[in-house]
Amino acid sequence: MKKVLLALSAAAVISFAATAAQAATKICFLYVGSKTDGGWTQAHDIGREQLQNHFGDKIETPYLENVAEGPDAERAIERLARSGCELIFTTSFGFMEPTIDVAKKFPKVKFEHATGYKTADNVASYNSRFYQGRYIQGQIAGKLSKNGVAGYIASFPIPEVVQGINSFLLGAQSINPDFQIKVVWVNSWFDAGKEADAAKALIDQGVDILTQHTDSTAPMQVAADRGIKAFGQASDMIEAGPETQLTAIVDTWGAYYIKRTQALMDGTWETQSTWDGLIDGILTMAPYTNMPDDVKQLAMETEAKIAKGELHPFTGPVMKQDGSEWLKAGEKADDGTLLGMNFYVKGVDDKLPN
Amino acid sequence: MSLIEAVLLTITTAATPLLLAAMGELVAERSGVLNLGVEGMIVMGAVVAFAIAQLSGNPYLGALCGAIAGCVFSLLFGLLTLTLVTNQVATGLALTILGLGLSGMIGESFVGEPGVQLEPIAIPLLDQLPLLGPLIFKQDAIFYLSILCVIGVSWFLFRTRLGLQLRAIGDSHGSAHALGISVIKTRYYAVMFGGACAGLAGAQLSLVYTPQWVENMSAGRGWIALALVVFASWRPLRVLAGAYLFGAVTIGQLHAQALGFGIPSQFLSALPYLATILVLVIISRNRRLTLMNTPASLGQSFVPDR
């Protein structure tokens, strides 16, 4: 009975999709959250569906969801590799080390890791310039916030998240030089209750615009409940706050997945490290809603400028939090510094955890 | 609403699911059954409560069905461990895994759907009291139930004959059996009570805390509830104190971060656990009393002599 139970539950937790034709190429995905989380993982799963639809019967796209970062991840990746996957996308920062480790054992299998910085002969990395969207959000916040303080619900102190915080603030300061943000770390990518608590704490302390770098829609819901505005993250969260969401950074991975799968089929797959942005369509902004027309106009102009390369969010003069100079007037941050970003710019009301 | 009031309100919301789940588990453990499936029962309660509330438009019906779902789910545990005498630890873990998976499956079509919120009920006159009014007398039904639950369980365990029997079973099921008390039947009731409480805790998550359904939305609260019971040395009032302390430090640390005190956030995130363990260990430092409160047959299977 117990065995049956365990088998049942295992089957329920690990839901493998599709078992189409035999000759199909297996392109596999590893998710940190549930594919219906309304945020990060859902965006990847939409990409996977686009990939499946594009190639139809020629490929299979099994996935494992709710895989914790850490030792579990290594087992899960190895399992995918053993099951005949030819290309495996591991879609969370914390999957980087396990991906590299497993890749050594399976030199013929190709791996692609999202948002990391390590590569190998059979491991490519891909990332999106989320910070471009954050800058636009910052400008909107700078225009709309009456108190000049925004709340930022952050997950883990990794460069990607720090970039977002800094970029948001620089965008806001380009409108209101005294703009400040309060940061709360929840030390989790996905904990609806804790994210909601963080949102409440920030609102109780007087922020009137909320943005998040976590994956659930709970903060959006709290913002709606308390009548302030908020930004969605990773997926369009308009359903959680029809009157609340200003815009959202929407990750659109589909085109990249199709491109890389095509490369695999053509035999031209090579390791690489890409970091695409608004212009490449890997990052799009949800419709600008719940804001006056002039703000909307500004946001769209900024979006166009960033996409065309006319505007780089990290352009000097920029001071670090401690007041020292980081970028001279007109100087643009290089990608290396951004990818390893471990400091705040001036105006963040928080001490960066190490 | 002042800042203090707002903070205290958030604390009660955060503490209520822990309190409810822990009270249920306390009764089960007092009868000698260690059910590690709390997390699974909570999440089952959450998904069923959300689904029923959403389909019927009635959050009370949702909450009721959430409690029933937790109860039914715990019956599965009862059937396995009490009737078929399987290992309680392994079965409890399996229940958690099953609950997390099953709830994800049931809830798949409800993700992203707008929730139905359980609105606060103001108790006339009392809700006008300064500070205490909005805090205690203008809350949702599940909050009131959680407080009644503490009072009821304390009274039942220590003031009634049935409670005494239940504790006797937990301390020595052999002796209780010899005295003619029905061990298995009592344990079934205790496990079901635990399940209903956990289910209600789940309903609180999906109807009050964050009125939506997302997979794994219990996010480890079942484990915290389990730990609370042990560190509170199986005393209802200490569970109450522990749950509220945990809630208070959780919320407090978020505010400390927002205020920018510059304390490392990793430390702050660990603080609720550290503080709660520390305080409850200090309260329970009397070894003799703690031993007296520990159900001696906890986790042991009972097979009546033929």
Side-chain angles (χ1 to χ4, degrees):
Chain A
M1 186 68 192
K2 208 158 68 198
K3 271 187 191 150
V4 176
L5 241 185
L6 278 171
L8 251 178
S9 53
V13 174
I14 308 158
S15 46
F16 261 99
T19 45
Q22 282 190 337
T25 310
K26 259 180 149 178
I27 314 289
C28 306
F29 291 80
L30 190 70
Y31 299 149
V32 69
S34 128
K35 65 171 178 145
T36 50
D37 66 355
W40 177 259
T41 298
Q42 184 166 334
H44 283 284
D45 199 59
I46 290 170
R48 182 190 64 80
E49 279 172 3
Q50 286 170 349
L51 173 70
Q52 181 73 60
N53 293 340
H54 182 83
F55 287 102
D57 288 347
K58 282 190 265 176
I59 60 165
E60 279 177 45
T61 55
Y63 57 88
L64 284 173
E65 53 182 332
N66 291 319
V67 178
E69 297 179 342
D72 271 358
E74 189 161 338
R75 274 197 296 277
I77 300 168
E78 193 162 333
R79 197 174 139 180
L80 288 175
R82 276 191 204 290
S83 76
C85 301
E86 291 177 46
L87 178 61
I88 302 174
F89 291 95
T90 55
T91 63
S92 186
F93 180 78
F95 293 156
M96 180 169 67
E97 299 294 344
T99 305
I100 298 282
D101 287 347
V102 176
K104 281 184 198 140
K105 292 188 217 163
F106 297 89
K108 283 186 187 152
V109 181
K110 312 283 189 252
F111 296 84
E112 299 241 4
H113 174 253
T115 70
Y117 50 84
K118 287 192 178 172
T119 55
D121 283 343
N122 59 337
V123 184
S125 86
Y126 61 107
N127 202 347
S128 167
R129 293 180 188 267
F130 306 112
Y131 68 85
Q132 296 180 336
R134 294 277 175 199
Y135 190 85
I136 305 170
Q137 293 186 345
Q139 286 201 325
I140 298 170
K143 282 275 187 194
L144 295 183
S145 172
K146 289 191 189 70
N147 308 348
V149 191
Y152 207 110
I153 301 165
S155 49
F156 293 101
I158 57 174
E160 181 195 320
V161 177
V162 179
Q163 268 167 39
I165 296 171
N166 286 335
S167 184
F168 183 94
L169 187 60
L170 290 177
Q173 285 177 344
S174 73
I175 305 292
N176 170 4
D178 297 324
F179 201 91
Q180 289 201 329
I181 46 181
K182 288 178 179 290
V183 184
V184 168
W185 298 90
V186 291
N187 286 300
S188 168
W189 284 114
F190 191 83
D191 180 339
K194 220 167 168 186
E195 291 170 47
D197 287 339
K200 288 177 196 161
L202 285 164
I203 297 168
D204 289 340
Q205 289 201 13
V207 312
D208 58 3
I209 283 204
L210 210 53
T211 186
Q212 63 181 93
H213 203 142
T214 48
D215 300 345
S216 95
T217 50
M220 179 67 69
Q221 204 177 28
V222 172
D225 204 35
R226 300 283 186 102
I228 68 161
K229 301 280 185 253
F231 296 103
Q233 161 68 8
S235 291
D236 192 341
M237 296 181 171
I238 192 79
E239 279 179 8
E243 318 263 297
T244 307
Q245 178 175 287
L246 293 163
T247 180
I249 295 173
V250 181
D251 306 342
T252 35
W253 305 103
Y256 181 80
Y257 290 153
I258 292 169
K259 193 169 79 186
R260 297 300 281 168
T261 303
Q262 191 63 53
L264 178 87
M265 290 171 149
D266 298 346
T268 56
W269 191 96
E270 272 183 351
T271 180
Q272 61 176 31
S273 184
T274 53
W275 198 15
D276 293 344
L278 280 170
I279 190 168
D280 312 282
I282 201 165
L283 175 70
T284 47
M285 302 302 286
Y288 298 103
T289 46
N290 299 312
M291 64 181 87
D293 283 343
D294 61 320
V295 181
K296 189 173 170 178
Q297 196 64 35
L298 171 83
M300 286 162 81
E301 277 165 21
T302 306
E303 184 182 340
K305 275 192 210 156
I306 294 177
K308 277 188 224 148
E310 286 167 18
L311 172 66
H312 190 300
F314 292 102
T315 306
V318 178
M319 311 268 250
K320 288 190 184 178
Q321 192 180 28
D322 59 13
S324 64
E325 189 178 56
W326 172 38
L327 297 171
K328 291 192 199 74
E331 190 188 352
K332 290 186 172 77
D334 60 279
D335 284 356
T337 312
L338 291 182
L339 286 170
M341 196 166 227
N342 59 358
F343 57 86
Y344 282 141
V345 299
K346 211 173 156 198
V348 183
D349 185 14
D350 181 46
K351 190 167 175 260
L352 187 61
N354 306 313
Chain B
M1 197 160 54
S2 69
L3 180 61
I4 304 258
E5 223 169 80
V7 172
L8 291 177
L9 260 177
T10 325
I11 292 171
T12 59
T13 318
T16 302
L18 298 175
L19 177 60
L20 266 172
M23 283 322 284
E25 179 66 12
L26 183 142
V27 171
E29 290 193 15
R30 275 284 186 172
S31 82
V33 184
L34 180 66
N35 185 354
L36 296 183
V38 182
E39 181 83 4
M41 300 187 298
I42 292 181
V43 82
M44 282 303 286
V47 71
V48 171
F50 184 87
I52 300 293
Q54 222 256 345
L55 293 175
S56 70
N58 185 342
Y60 292 97
L61 187 65
L64 179 70
C65 291
I68 293 173
C71 189
V72 169
F73 206 52
S74 73
L75 260 179
L76 180 65
F77 175 85
L79 184 73
L80 289 170
T81 58
L82 301 176
T83 304
L84 301 174
V85 206
T86 58
N87 179 292
Q88 292 182 4
V89 171
T91 312
L93 289 174
L95 198 73
T96 287
I97 299 171
L98 176 66
L100 289 173
L102 199 59
S103 63
M105 232 164 70
I106 297 173
E108 202 168 358
S109 58
F110 291 98
V111 174
E113 294 286 316
V116 188
Q117 195 160 1
L118 208 56
E119 297 296 336
I121 309 167
I123 294 180
L125 295 177
L126 286 175
D127 71 326
Q128 302 300 324
L129 290 172
L131 195 62
L132 282 182
L135 199 60
I136 301 178
F137 300 109
K138 207 179 166 189
Q139 287 271 17
D140 57 275
I142 299 184
F143 167 81
Y144 296 131
L145 272 176
S146 75
I147 300 300
L148 287 178
C149 184
V150 177
I151 300 168
V153 166
S154 303
W155 173 79
F156 170 78
L157 282 180
F158 303 106
R159 291 282 178 275
T160 68
R161 189 181 170 81
L162 280 172
L164 182 67
Q165 288 184 352
L166 185 136
R167 285 187 290 134
I169 291 169
D171 277 333
S172 169
H173 46 215
S175 318
H177 179 64
L179 284 170
I181 304 171
S182 175
V183 174
I184 300 295
K185 200 167 97 186
T186 312
R187 283 189 173 169
Y188 258 108
Y189 286 133
V191 165
M192 282 163 67
F193 178 76
C197 284
L200 201 58
Q204 196 265 6
L205 292 180
S206 64
L207 298 176
V208 180
Y209 205 148
T210 49
Q212 56 173 324
W213 163 252
V214 284
E215 225 175 288
N216 299 341
M217 78 181 297
S218 47
R221 285 181 181 79
W223 300 111
I224 297 168
L226 272 163
L228 276 177
V229 176
V230 177
F231 284 111
S233 54
W234 295 272
R235 308 281 299 182
L237 287 177
R238 285 182 194 167
V239 168
L240 176 77
Y244 272 80
L245 182 70
F246 190 89
V249 183
T250 307
I251 302 302
Q253 65 98 0
L254 293 173
H255 278 274
Q257 285 195 44
L259 284 170
F261 284 159
I263 307 163
S265 70
Q266 291 95 334
F267 174 73
L268 285 174
S269 287
L271 203 58
Y273 301 89
L274 292 176
T276 311
I277 290 175
L278 194 71
V279 169
L280 289 177
V281 165
I282 290 172
I283 301 177
S284 317
R285 70 190 178 285
N286 187 330
R287 268 184 65 86
R288 202 176 56 83
L289 272 178
T290 304
L291 271 178
M292 219 171 76
N293 279 314
T294 310
S297 359
L298 183 63
Q300 295 170 14
S301 298
F302 177 70
V303 185
D305 307 331
R306 258 144 262 163

